[in-house]
Amino acid sequence: MKNIDSRTHVRGESVYLDDIPVIRGTLFGAAFGSPVAHGSLKNLDLTAAEAMPGVVRILTYKDVTGENQIGGIVPDEPLLAEHHVHYCGMPIAFVLAETDEEAHAAIKKITVDFDPLPIITDPREAQARGDLIVRARTFRLGDVTDAWAQCAHVFEGRADTNGQEHLYIETQGAYAVPQENNGLKLYSSTQGPTAVQRAVARSSGLAMHQIDVDVTRLGGGFGGKEDQANMWAALCALAAHVLKRPVKYALNRIEDMAMTGKRHPYSSDFKIGLDADLKIVAYEPTFYQNAGAAADLSPAVLERTLFHCTNSYYIPNVLATAYCCRTNLPPNTAFRGFGGPQGMFVIEAAIAKAADALGIDAAVIQAKNLNQTGDEFPYGQKAESEARACWDKTVGGYEVNTRRNEIAAFNAANVLYKKGLALMPVCFGISFTNTRMNQARALVHVYTDGSVGVSTGAVEMGQGVNTKMLQVAAQVFSIQPERVKIQSTSTYRIANTSPSAASATADLNGRAVQIACTDILNRLKAVAAIELHADEAAITLKDERVYVGDECTDYTWQRLVLATYGRRISLSEHAHYATPVIQFDPVTEKGHPFAYHVYGTAVVEVTIDCVRGTYETDAVKVVHDFGASMNPLIDRGQIEGGIVQGIGWMTLEEVIYDKTGRLRSNALSTYKVPDIYSVPKEIAIDFLETQADNLAIFRSKAVGEPPLMYGIGVYFALRNAIRAFNPSVVIPFDAPMTPEKVLLALYDTTPTASPVAHDKIADDLAVNS
Ligand code: LUZ
Ligand code: MOS
């Protein structure tokens, strides 16, 4: 089934925040963000700004009617700065004016002085100073101390990954509309309507039942709106509450890029030990997470880095430590993969380092260490592993060994271009790592005309979750999809929602829809049994018809609905689902945190231009563990998008803050994102269909985040291509692998690098000219 939004999307009729008709009397907000990254505030002067045309009011922390606090996990994030700023862009004042232009013009007239404080942008420096947001976390399996002695080979190194701008097409924004008796209705571009509701309640001083957060859809989220939609919604809500006028603020791109957090950069150390048979015996990574100036979701992201630090491998002795380091950058936040990709990069770097030193292909080590069913992860859960199945199907189905030979032949025959190949296995745990978030609710109404309205906590952000919810309802009732409408996500209809995140939205909300629809269906069947004088167990509904056993009756869906209504039996249901089995103890750091894992393996091929350092991704071919996909079209779309987003993170996207904590890559002129030319020339997706039961909705495994990590393979393929040109170059593990870095590595003249390649290319250029 096609995404139900595809028609209105292509016709430009889909409604996003900025498409909501503006209500008369609406004020436009704009936040004045700190121009410095760390300091004490002095002499905030608003007079010139207040005198600007159209300005109605400028709010500061003194105007906050509730608690001046929006920190979700740790209360370390004021809505508006009081006496202290700790990152560039931190909101200090909120201007309200009659137009958006007037609000932005007034911001430029605000002046403020600071007593400067030291600016820390490096997580290792923060850790050395003891500036951690939460305690260090350590996951342990076996005993590394004893294990090093059993290793034939031990390697140590460092691996860094940079941040990533979410670049959702729709920027952050909110629209707050006052209701009677101090109530507030909020439209917000948020993945977490309840998170917004909580932040608004806390900062405005209203009860949650006074606040309806209503979300139709987002133009992308990618994690950036899991927590960081709260700020803008709380500012609009505060202004609407104080001024009793509707207030709207949709950030422009520059504001959005400068003021919001991104994927966490990580700097990591690793030590890896292998036995003579190339089995990984011990692994000891240390992660320095650049959390930014406030906790936001960093502690949870940190945890997922540890969960995924061994990726798809079974390693019997692991000691993994992670530090949540406070720096003077905008608070970094959720981003597709949620710390998992950062953890996986480091183990892949460790394997690549070992492979380089041993003069073998990394795939030899990867293949020997894939986990198997029953193997224990460092957090105690046992694998139900499809790692080997995905790997073997990739290597066999895509003829990887043949491709490797062809690439070797190509590289032997060409000097100006080199190709590289890498395999990237992925293993990603599905469930919020915070067990209590794994719950969802659905409200289903069957109307007397036979149409069905479904509300859930799921937020549609382009991922197609509404289509999947619709499929669940249509399938349970066995009715035409056209009869079902997925309503907006509203905190008045569905309470206490978890954000649409963690790849778990369709699973959690889909199960709730399934339960609600099944309950209504059972009532309908009971009525059919009475009306048809049949045994209830013999009643089924198929294609909008009631069947008694195999016999089709003249009772249609519509007639049965009316009959049920006529008997005064409820045609509505509100259902709750909580993932069974899962638990995790943060004291012992052991448990069973995930409902299941998603596996996959990608084979990646790239070609680099050895004169320019530019490159193309020739192919990303994956075997992906879908369980039993309920919507292959949408799931393919998620995989293609995830791969390209992962490639962007690993190759082009370079978030650059200078030493003063200012974002230099603050626009699309300076921040390069993947475009159509960065898309692999070939993306192949093969389905690993598994029969085993799982906790996914209709056994259709979660698909949102795992494919992003296939993009990591591109980094290692590029590395292999560079080494084909300059065999002894030592390439630091420092993503992204931009064309500049490729060029530098190709012509690296440090003594360890061989000069041979240079001479060869010089000769070749001479011949060609
Ligand atoms: N958000 C969250 C997530 O709050 N907890 C998680 O475990 C998670 N995982 C992936 C993406 N978002
Ligand atoms: Mo997310 S990183 O699933 O909001």
Side-chain angles (χ1 to χ4, degrees):
M1 182 180 186
K2 265 196 226 160
N3 187 317
I4 53 172
D5 280 344
S6 48
R7 185 180 163 84
T8 54
H9 278 2
V10 296
R11 292 169 64 91
E13 291 168 0
S14 297
V15 173
Y16 299 87
L17 181 87
D18 213 28
D19 299 314
I20 297 168
V22 173
I23 298 163
R24 189 184 304 159
T26 293
L27 292 173
F28 291 83
F32 171 67
S34 173
V36 303
H38 202 192
S40 304
L41 265 170
K42 289 193 315 191
N43 311 326
L44 177 65
D45 188 353
L46 304 174
T47 45
E50 279 166 342
M52 290 289 284
V55 173
V56 171
R57 182 77 184 263
I58 302 178
L59 301 176
T60 67
Y61 76 93
K62 291 177 186 155
D63 301 299
V64 176
T65 52
E67 191 190 347
N68 184 28
Q69 183 54 244
I70 60 165
I73 298 180
V74 179
D76 64 353
E77 203 178 352
L79 178 60
L80 289 164
E82 297 189 4
H83 310 293
H84 180 237
V85 290
H86 52 177
Y87 67 90
C88 266
M90 179 174 176
I92 296 174
F94 192 49
V95 176
L96 287 312
E98 299 292 347
T99 69
D100 185 43
E101 294 73 18
E102 287 167 337
H104 280 94
I107 276 184
K108 301 207 172 79
K109 302 290 178 188
I110 296 176
T111 60
V112 62
D113 298 325
F114 298 92
D115 282 333
L117 289 165
I119 294 165
I120 309 295
T121 57
D122 177 356
R124 288 179 187 259
E125 195 180 338
Q127 191 268 345
R129 294 165 58 107
D131 216 346
L132 302 181
I133 289 178
V134 290
R135 70 184 168 93
R137 299 282 296 269
T138 303
F139 282 19
R140 281 186 185 82
L141 184 66
D143 183 348
V144 285
T145 319
D146 288 348
W148 300 121
Q150 308 163 27
C151 297
H153 317 283
V154 176
F155 304 98
E156 292 183 62
R158 169 173 165 159
D160 291 4
T161 49
N162 202 342
Q164 186 176 21
E165 164 63 41
H166 299 87
L167 216 85
Y168 21 64
I169 293 178
E170 180 193 32
T171 55
Q172 303 268 4
Y175 193 175
V177 184
Q179 310 287 305
E180 63 177 22
N181 295 320
N182 282 326
L184 281 173
K185 169 138 188 163
L186 269 126
Y187 302 96
S188 163
S189 184
T190 180
Q191 293 172 238
T194 294
V196 163
Q197 185 192 25
R198 276 199 202 104
V200 167
R202 186 177 188 181
S203 55
S204 65
L206 295 172
M208 285 171 78
H209 71 211
Q210 286 278 62
I211 301 156
D212 183 22
V213 181
D214 194 339
V215 182
T216 297
R217 68 166 65 68
L218 319 185
F222 309 115
K225 297 167 182 172
E226 183 176 336
D227 220 42
Q228 299 215 348
N230 298 1
M231 172 75 81
W232 324 109
L235 286 172
C236 289
L238 175 68
H241 183 55
V242 169
L243 301 172
K244 296 288 172 253
R245 287 177 67 174
V247 173
K248 178 175 169 179
Y249 183 23
L251 278 68
N252 63 42
R253 183 64 67 186
I254 300 269
E255 288 174 314
D256 190 303
M257 289 180 81
M259 295 168 119
T260 66
K262 321 203 177 300
R263 182 188 293 284
H264 293 78
Y266 274 66
S267 184
S268 308
D269 297 320
F270 61 79
K271 181 172 176 187
I272 189 168
L274 301 90
D275 68 15
D277 191 32
L278 302 180
K279 284 268 192 196
I280 305 173
V281 176
Y283 181 52
E284 188 175 337
T286 306
F287 301 101
Y288 300 87
Q289 178 201 49
N290 192 334
D296 191 271
L297 292 165
S298 300
V301 172
L302 188 85
E303 201 173 49
R304 199 175 269 280
T305 301
L306 291 171
F307 281 120
H308 297 322
C309 73
T310 56
N311 191 10
S312 301
Y313 309 108
Y314 171 62
I315 306 177
N317 302 288
V318 176
L319 178 66
T321 304
Y323 299 103
C324 184
C325 310
R326 192 190 299 276
T327 60
N328 298 111
L329 301 181
N332 287 315
T333 194
F335 196 137
R336 202 173 191 174
F338 206 73
Q342 292 95 320
M344 290 184 195
F345 181 82
V346 180
I347 181 72
E348 295 303 328
I351 290 172
K353 175 140 190 173
D356 289 356
L358 298 169
I360 55 171
D361 194 304
V364 177
I365 300 176
Q366 290 173 310
K368 277 209 188 254
N369 291 281
L370 294 171
N371 64 23
Q372 296 181 17
T373 297
D375 284 342
E376 188 176 343
F377 290 103
Y379 46 92
Q381 187 163 341
K382 298 272 172 37
E384 290 160 54
S385 182
E386 305 291 351
R388 174 65 59 190
C390 290
W391 178 279
D392 287 348
K393 200 169 178 192
T394 294
V395 171
Y398 298 123
E399 300 181 329
V400 168
N401 293 329
T402 308
R403 291 299 306 142
R404 206 180 262 123
N405 291 337
E406 286 167 1
I407 285 171
F410 176 95
N411 287 344
N414 287 276
V415 176
L416 298 185
Y417 294 91
K418 295 288 182 188
K419 289 183 184 288
L421 178 148
L423 283 136
M424 180 65 201
V426 169
C427 164
F428 197 80
I430 303 302
S431 286
F432 288 94
T433 58
N434 183 348
T435 300
R436 66 182 199 160
M437 291 171 79
N438 295 287
Q439 52 171 308
R441 279 152 296 278
L443 177 65
V444 177
H445 297 310
V446 178
Y447 295 93
T448 51
D449 65 352
S451 67
V452 177
V454 176
S455 295
T456 73
V459 170
E460 175 60 51
M461 47 186 153
Q463 85 280 44
V465 71
N466 279 359
T467 306
K468 289 185 174 180
M469 296 305 98
L470 187 147
Q471 285 181 275
V472 174
Q475 186 167 328
V476 172
F477 288 138
S478 195
I479 56 177
Q480 291 302 307
E482 293 72 30
R483 287 203 188 265
V484 184
K485 168 144 186 280
I486 306 301
Q487 312 290 11
S488 65
T489 313
S490 151
T491 56
Y492 273 4
R493 266 176 277 118
I494 303 293
N496 309 323
T497 62
S498 290
S500 286
S503 307
T505 315
D507 280 4
L508 296 172
N509 293 279
R511 286 281 190 143
V513 172
Q514 187 182 24
I515 295 166
C517 293
T518 304
D519 285 353
I520 296 171
L521 178 69
N522 288 337
R523 296 201 287 265
L524 292 168
K525 283 182 179 173
V527 170
I530 296 166
E531 302 250 327
L532 294 163
H533 309 289
D535 182 1
E536 201 181 314
I539 304 278
T540 50
L541 272 78
K542 211 164 72 190
D543 299 334
E544 309 213 337
R545 282 284 180 161
V546 178
Y547 281 71
V548 179
D550 291 337
E551 187 198 334
C552 183
T553 70
D554 56 3
Y555 256 75
T556 59
W557 162 258
Q558 207 156 334
R559 186 169 165 197
L560 181 59
V561 165
L562 267 180
T564 305
Y565 172 77
R567 287 175 183 271
R568 298 188 295 162
I569 290 167
S570 170
L571 288 168
S572 298
E573 189 64 36
H574 178 261
H576 170 83
Y577 175 73
T579 313
V581 182
I582 54 172
Q583 45 82 19
F584 189 72
D585 178 353
V587 176
T588 59
E589 306 282 27
K590 298 282 180 193
H592 188 107
F594 298 121
Y596 56 89
H597 291 83
V598 170
Y599 292 87
T601 297
V603 57
V604 174
E605 293 176 33
V606 300
T607 304
I608 57 175
D609 175 330
C610 301
V611 177
R612 297 173 184 83
T614 52
Y615 46 75
E616 284 186 337
T617 305
D618 300 318
V620 177
K621 301 178 200 164
V622 307
V623 172
H624 186 87
D625 161 28
F626 289 89
S629 174
M630 68 183 285
N631 193 319
L633 206 55
I634 283 177
D635 288 353
R636 252 176 215 281
Q638 284 294 94
I639 292 185
E640 290 178 2
I643 287 171
V644 174
Q645 198 164 37
I647 291 175
W649 173 52
M650 280 286 109
T651 63
L652 299 173
E653 299 185 44
E654 216 171 10
V655 177
I656 298 173
Y657 291 96
D658 64 21
K659 288 279 169 216
T660 72
R662 275 202 17 209
L663 181 67
R664 307 316 303 237
S665 53
N666 69 341
L668 291 176
S669 51
T670 46
Y671 185 75
K672 178 114 180 82
V673 289
D675 56 16
I676 193 68
Y677 300 103
S678 336
V679 170
K681 285 190 268 182
E682 181 184 0
I683 293 183
I685 299 164
D686 196 2
F687 286 55
L688 186 81
E689 296 268 359
T690 49
Q691 299 309 313
D693 203 9
N694 62 43
L695 289 171
I697 177 70
F698 293 159
R699 298 200 302 112
S700 178
K701 283 188 169 186
V703 74
E705 295 171 288
L708 180 127
M709 284 148 272
Y710 295 137
I712 296 173
V714 174
Y715 182 95
F716 290 94
L718 285 170
R719 226 174 151 273
N720 289 339
I722 295 165
R723 285 164 49 81
F725 180 83
N726 190 358
S728 56
V729 63
V730 176
I731 308 167
F733 298 101
D734 184 15
M737 185 72 92
T738 57
E740 291 86 341
K741 282 189 198 156
V742 172
L743 196 62
L744 289 171
L746 287 169
Y747 299 98
D748 189 341
T749 53
T750 53
T752 49
S754 155
V756 175
H758 287 111
D759 298 345
K760 270 207 308 208
I761 196 165
D763 290 348
D764 212 77
L765 283 170
V767 169
N768 286 347
S769 58

